[in-house]
Amino acid sequence: MELKDGESIGLEGGKTAKIVSRLGEGGQGIVYAVKIDGKDYALKWYTHTSRLQDKDAFKTNLQENIKKGAPDNKFLWPLYLTEEKEGCFGYVMDLRPKGFSEFSDILNNKVRFPSTDVLVTSALNIVNAFRSLHREGLSYQDLNDGNFFINVNTGDVLICDNDNVTPDGKQNPGNIMGKPGYMAPEIVRDGKRFHPNSLTDNHSLAVILFKLFCRHDPLMGKAYVESVCITEKREWELYGQSPVFIFDPLNDSNRPVPGVHPNPIKLWPRYPKFIREAFEKSFCEGMKNPNARLDDNHWQQLLIRFRGTILKCPHCSAELSLALVPHGNTLKFDCGRSYSYPFALDDGRHKTPLFPGSKLYACLTSKDVDDYTTVTGEVIMNKNNPSLWGIKNLSDATWSFFTNTGELKSIEKGSVIPIATDLEIKFDGITAKVSR
């Protein structure tokens, strides 16, 4: 059954939701805008409950997730379960705020990121959200492009359709298997024998990241184009029985086709080797061995490293990645301006370029911290002498460094460390060295 504007529906716990308007419709049901106690929310209403393998167990799983609460604030998590009407029910979640675009609009180039830095930040937010989910012993089980909303100006991410989240190792009672193109190959091959879990999440996460970076399906190349008709059997072959990554270094049978697949051909070379190798591992070895797939921890480390290589031209918005420029070479931006290779800060884990405007984050300056959003330092330029650069301490911790006379000098919040080759800086439990 469908709900009507102005109609009220009871919620578990005694509250009532009033239907305001229809927001959208999908395979499972309808999403409505509702009001609860004068505040705006969204209600996902299941109109096809017969498609759920075990409706009661599905509701119980939702109730358990509501009790636990969201593992991360990036999830539009279930807040209330509704009463049943004519065998139908639903759950309430927060509304998507303005400023967020659908993932499909990004894939179709309808909206664009203003910079690579924001693109990588959005990828980090996606990865970190699933890292939080998996740490809670849960698996998402149905990652696809319809789950994500992204603010392309900030990189902020929101994840919806969390009704499929289930304790890892258990099959979702709604019998949700996934969406073609995002499902792990073992699920495509034999969904009765294999069920979604955190390892299949890892495959789907790699697909999401590849599509975010390359605007293309990682398995859709020459073999897909040459298929006379994409039947269920052919889809089973391409995505389950014999999947081939379009950039498999040992198998070129499924390369992207010039004139047909411009996005991956143009974008793939723009990413550092360590990012390309991560996708190769995920979509080559990881296709055969689920345990070989990169998990969210590895993706987070690689993306933090990638973000640390991105340089912006001091005079415009042009960007480049230091990882694509041989050490010691002159940097040449697309705008035509050239600069000498900048300083770099090396702590043994990450090598971060130091350039006016570049930022340091808590994960780079504090030991055993993986906070990639809090800015703790920024490289600034001396207004009177542009050749003099320094790192301004924006954290609450006290940093220190040895001067050229051997004196250990403390740097409090708001103070600046002058940048020089071979300078050793002691951050919050981390020591790093400046080099060229």
Side-chain angles (χ1 to χ4, degrees):
M1 66 164 291
E2 297 185 12
L3 301 174
K4 299 177 181 179
D5 293 358
E7 183 177 352
S8 293
I9 183 79
L11 307 176
E12 289 188 348
K15 292 180 180 291
T16 299
K18 186 175 183 179
I19 308 300
V20 177
S21 62
R22 180 188 296 227
L23 294 175
E25 187 170 353
Q28 293 178 315
I30 303 169
V31 178
Y32 297 95
V34 299
K35 279 191 178 292
I36 303 173
D37 295 336
K39 294 183 179 180
D40 295 319
Y41 295 90
L43 165 64
K44 182 173 182 178
W45 182 251
Y46 298 96
T47 55
H48 304 294
T49 53
S50 60
R51 297 178 184 176
L52 298 174
Q53 182 175 334
D54 187 333
K55 184 176 75 171
D56 291 338
F58 184 78
K59 289 179 67 175
T60 299
N61 185 66
L62 271 172
Q63 288 168 328
E64 289 299 316
N65 286 341
I66 290 171
K67 289 178 185 177
K68 291 176 184 176
D72 191 286
N73 61 11
K74 298 175 188 65
F75 291 97
L76 294 173
W77 201 252
L79 301 173
Y80 306 100
L81 199 64
T82 74
E83 64 182 18
E84 282 199 28
K85 277 192 175 184
E86 298 181 23
C88 299
F89 68 96
Y91 73 88
V92 172
M93 58 186 159
D94 284 323
L95 267 176
R96 171 183 30 144
K98 293 181 179 179
F100 284 80
S101 299
E102 295 183 10
F103 194 82
S104 57
D105 287 340
I106 295 172
L107 297 182
N108 295 326
N109 293 316
K110 290 183 179 179
V111 291
R112 298 174 182 271
F113 291 97
S115 67
T116 305
D117 181 77
V118 178
L119 167 64
V120 176
T121 296
S122 71
L124 269 167
N125 282 328
I126 290 172
V127 166
N128 200 62
F130 286 98
R131 188 165 177 260
S132 298
L133 183 97
H134 292 152
R135 281 184 166 186
E136 292 291 324
L138 302 169
S139 57
Y140 193 83
Q141 304 202 4
D142 185 23
L143 276 78
N144 62 74
D145 53 359
N147 303 142
F148 299 95
F149 301 113
I150 300 176
N151 186 321
V152 295
N153 295 311
T154 65
D156 290 335
V157 170
L158 290 173
I159 303 166
C160 67
D161 287 344
N162 300 293
D163 48 1
N164 37 269
V165 172
T166 310
D168 195 24
K170 288 187 177 181
Q171 183 182 11
N172 185 281
N175 197 30
I176 300 168
M177 303 301 293
K179 184 177 179 179
Y182 295 87
M183 289 188 287
E186 63 269 24
I187 302 293
V188 178
R189 285 194 303 270
D190 191 353
K192 292 182 179 180
R193 180 183 173 195
F194 297 100
H195 303 302
N197 54 37
S198 58
L199 294 179
T200 62
D201 275 3
N202 290 341
H203 171 82
S204 302
L205 179 60
V207 173
I208 291 291
L209 295 176
F210 186 85
K211 288 195 172 189
L212 189 66
F213 284 136
C214 292
R215 308 291 197 278
H216 194 73
D217 186 312
L219 304 180
M220 189 181 289
K222 182 181 177 182
Y224 194 97
V225 172
E226 290 182 346
S227 299
V228 177
C229 182
I230 302 299
T231 60
E232 285 189 15
K233 182 178 183 299
R234 185 58 179 146
E235 196 169 65
W236 176 79
E237 293 171 345
L238 294 170
Y239 288 102
Q241 184 186 41
S242 53
V244 177
F245 179 42
I246 59 174
F247 291 116
D248 187 325
L250 302 178
N251 184 349
D252 64 0
S253 65
N254 195 31
R255 287 285 185 264
V257 179
V260 180
H261 306 137
N263 285 341
I265 293 173
K266 178 178 69 174
L267 297 172
W268 180 250
R270 295 186 180 183
Y271 298 114
K273 183 180 179 182
F274 59 84
I275 293 293
R276 299 197 302 267
E277 287 177 341
F279 284 122
E280 289 169 2
K281 182 174 178 62
S282 294
F283 297 130
C284 295
E285 185 181 353
M287 287 292 190
K288 304 170 185 175
N289 177 11
N291 290 300
R293 295 166 188 160
L294 271 72
D295 62 17
D296 33 57
N297 287 312
H298 286 95
W299 279 116
Q300 187 189 61
Q301 294 168 12
L302 291 171
L303 292 169
I304 288 173
R305 180 182 173 190
F306 180 19
R307 186 176 64 177
T309 71
I310 299 170
L311 287 179
K312 293 183 179 180
C313 173
H315 300 283
C316 69
S317 60
E319 294 178 314
L320 59 77
S321 170
L322 267 187
L324 300 177
V325 182
H327 189 274
N329 284 29
T330 298
L331 305 177
K332 189 173 181 63
F333 290 89
D334 289 341
C335 64
R337 293 185 175 90
S338 298
Y339 300 91
S340 60
Y341 202 92
F343 293 99
L345 187 68
D346 190 349
D347 65 1
R349 304 169 304 152
H350 306 286
K351 196 167 185 178
T352 307
L354 301 176
F355 209 79
S358 62
K359 294 177 173 59
L360 302 182
Y361 296 85
C363 57
L364 301 173
T365 61
S366 296
K367 188 176 181 180
D368 300 326
V369 171
D370 57 12
D371 178 0
Y372 59 88
T373 60
T374 301
V375 177
T376 54
E378 182 177 5
V379 178
I380 61 174
M381 180 188 294
N382 187 299
K383 294 180 180 179
N384 298 321
N385 187 350
S387 65
L388 297 179
W389 301 350
I391 304 174
K392 187 174 183 179
N393 184 358
L394 302 177
S395 74
D396 293 324
T398 299
W399 300 344
S400 62
F401 72 100
F402 284 100
T403 65
N404 52 14
T405 61
E407 175 190 0
L408 183 64
K409 188 171 182 178
S410 296
I411 299 296
E412 305 287 342
K413 183 175 184 177
S415 299
V416 179
I417 299 175
I419 295 175
T421 304
D422 296 329
L423 177 72
E424 189 173 274
I425 304 173
K426 295 183 181 296
F427 294 108
D428 186 16
I430 292 176
T431 300
K433 194 170 185 178
V434 176
S435 63
R436 275 288 190 180

